[in-house]
Amino acid sequence: MEVKAPIPVIPAPIWRNIKDLQEWEQFRQHRPEGDKHSALFESVTEGVHAFPGGFVLTTAADAFFNWARKSSVWPVTFGLACCAIEMMATFASRFDVERLGMVPWASPRHSDLMVVSGTVTIKMAPMLERIYDQMPDPKWALSMGSCANSGGPFRHGYHVVKGVDRVIPVDVYVPGCPPPPESLLNGLLLLQDQISHFRRTGQRAAPNPKVD
Amino acid sequence: MTHEEAATLIGEHFVGAQVQGGSPLAVTVPVDRWVALARFAKETLGCRFFAFSTAVDWKDGGLEVIAKVDNLDNQLSVLMKTRLGTGVSACPSLVPVYRGANWMERECYDMFGIRFEGHPDLRRILLADDWQGHPLLKSYAVDTPHPPYR
């Protein structure tokens, strides 16, 4: 009698069964109270919005403000590892992010965007958090490279934070090891797209669509 | 001085030392002759350059401390080894002999938890000051959580 070997059935990956993604959901940092705004500005906007026909003005103002925000994103220079070389190449003349209105700035207090480029060690994470806290609202964070996204090749080491989204809330993830300047430019354009929908939805864009 | 002459000299002065020839010359001594061997290598063999110091965790066999010193004039290098006993983490420091051993032994303390007796400034050098445990020990789990970042 012939005994058939069991045919291995490999199930399709399901989001909730992947341990890393469960960890991502568990440990990702959120903005629980949203972005901080001026209370006076908020109340004036609410008043105008409640006025009959005032929504035309507020939506137009929102569109204008978002256009202004996305047209002058100033990234704070925060190079941590080899990804910083690609970031510098992106900021330099060949790829030239200044045509998108971005100026790499050496002070977090004048910046809107933090490009976390490289490996975040457990020792560096408090400093990263502190620099992020010094940036004025509204602010965005872009995680660049495998190390900042998930720990990358050092994920199973002892000294690396398993993704910078465990330290600060992240808006755009750029994959790659390291990502070439084209990838980073694509990420910056995605970020600009998110910024243009910033106040209209009242909250940040969802980080990634889930595939189940 | 060639490696063979150095091997005979070490064999004469350190009875019971295991000497493996070749380059570098691997010498294993008990812990109580550790500083004496370093001083001998520096003053008699002329190995004045301290290349590195590290350790190996042999689990049940205990920790092994390793240091390499070089004589840059004669291309003579000596790899000094000593085996600490099982469960022992104390070792005499080489800083009184070699000033270059200072940071190396601090790193060794950081990664393996070896307490170097006689070290002037034994504290962590690479990891954060509030780190718990010594990560290069075999008993350290790589997924040890580090709150608040894990």
Side-chain angles (χ1 to χ4, degrees):
Chain A
M1 190 174 139
E2 189 186 355
V3 179
K4 276 188 180 176
I7 301 164
V9 178
I10 301 171
I14 300 173
W15 172 276
R16 59 182 170 273
N17 292 348
I18 298 175
K19 195 185 154 209
D20 284 359
L21 299 180
Q22 291 170 4
E23 283 195 358
W24 184 86
E25 282 196 339
Q26 187 181 351
F27 294 107
R28 183 174 188 275
Q29 299 291 312
H30 298 278
R31 289 182 184 82
E33 69 275 5
D35 297 285
K36 299 188 202 88
H37 295 286
S38 158
L40 178 68
F41 181 77
E42 281 290 304
S43 57
V44 168
T45 314
E46 286 302 311
V48 171
H49 191 79
F51 202 76
F55 68 93
V56 177
L57 190 58
T58 50
T59 46
D62 262 358
F64 176 73
F65 282 140
N66 285 334
W67 171 77
R69 277 181 188 124
K70 83 170 197 184
S71 305
S72 81
V73 177
W74 285 16
V76 56
T77 55
F78 194 66
L80 286 174
C82 37
C83 281
I85 305 294
E86 301 294 314
M87 186 179 72
M88 281 184 267
T90 317
F91 291 163
S93 56
R94 178 180 290 248
F95 294 95
D96 192 18
V97 293
E98 229 164 286
R99 65 202 155 103
L100 309 174
M102 299 184 183
V103 186
W105 205 256
S107 163
R109 301 183 186 217
H110 304 155
S111 305
D112 312 297
L113 167 67
M114 176 187 262
V115 180
V116 183
S117 55
T119 320
V120 185
T121 56
I122 290 173
K123 198 176 181 180
M124 190 64 189
M127 284 68 126
L128 187 144
E129 203 173 7
R130 193 163 162 182
I131 292 175
Y132 183 78
D133 287 344
Q134 287 180 6
M135 289 162 55
D137 278 311
K139 55 191 172 186
W140 290 270
L142 186 145
S143 162
M144 180 184 178
S146 298
C147 296
N149 289 343
S150 68
F154 311 110
R155 188 179 173 86
H156 302 294
Y158 57 88
H159 62 302
V160 169
V161 178
K162 294 167 179 55
V164 72
D165 48 10
R166 297 183 182 200
V167 186
I168 57 173
V170 172
D171 293 291
V172 175
Y173 298 85
V174 177
C177 186
E182 297 88 344
S183 289
L184 181 59
L185 269 177
N186 186 35
L188 292 172
L189 291 174
L190 279 176
L191 182 82
Q192 284 196 335
D193 197 39
Q194 283 195 16
I195 293 172
S196 64
H197 296 88
F198 175 47
R199 292 278 287 150
R200 217 180 300 163
T201 54
Q203 58 187 1
R204 299 288 172 100
N208 270 326
K210 279 186 198 176
V211 181
D212 206 351
Chain B
M1 188 182 293
T2 61
H3 282 83
E4 289 76 25
E5 292 168 12
T8 23
L9 266 179
I10 291 172
E12 287 169 7
H13 283 77
F14 295 89
V15 181
Q18 300 170 24
V19 181
Q20 267 187 335
S23 174
L25 205 62
V27 185
T28 309
V29 288
V31 186
D32 49 350
R33 302 305 304 276
W34 177 240
V35 181
L37 175 66
R39 194 156 302 222
F40 180 81
K42 185 177 185 184
E43 291 167 2
T44 311
L45 304 182
C47 297
R48 298 181 58 238
F49 179 72
F50 189 88
F52 66 83
S53 161
T54 183
V56 181
D57 185 3
W58 292 105
K59 291 186 179 175
D60 295 335
L63 288 158
E64 184 175 34
V65 183
I66 297 171
K68 182 166 177 273
V69 290
D70 291 328
N71 185 344
L72 297 178
D73 300 327
N74 296 354
Q75 283 79 44
L76 173 72
S77 51
V78 180
L79 189 67
M80 309 188 290
K81 299 180 183 180
T82 182
R83 188 69 78 94
L84 313 179
T86 310
V88 179
S89 65
C91 178
S93 171
L94 294 187
V95 179
V97 186
Y98 290 101
R99 273 170 59 200
N102 192 322
W103 283 14
M104 300 280 178
E105 290 187 348
R106 277 178 66 186
E107 186 186 348
C108 216
Y109 162 72
D110 205 354
M111 295 295 167
F112 293 93
I114 298 171
R115 277 155 184 76
F116 289 96
E117 289 158 352
H119 194 285
D121 183 25
L122 194 63
R123 59 195 161 92
R124 288 194 183 274
I125 187 170
L126 291 176
L127 299 176
D129 290 336
D130 56 349
W131 194 281
Q132 306 275 325
H134 300 281
L136 288 196
L137 290 175
K138 303 276 186 193
S139 57
Y140 187 94
V142 289
D143 50 354
T144 304
H146 294 282
Y149 307 116
R150 252 186 112 249

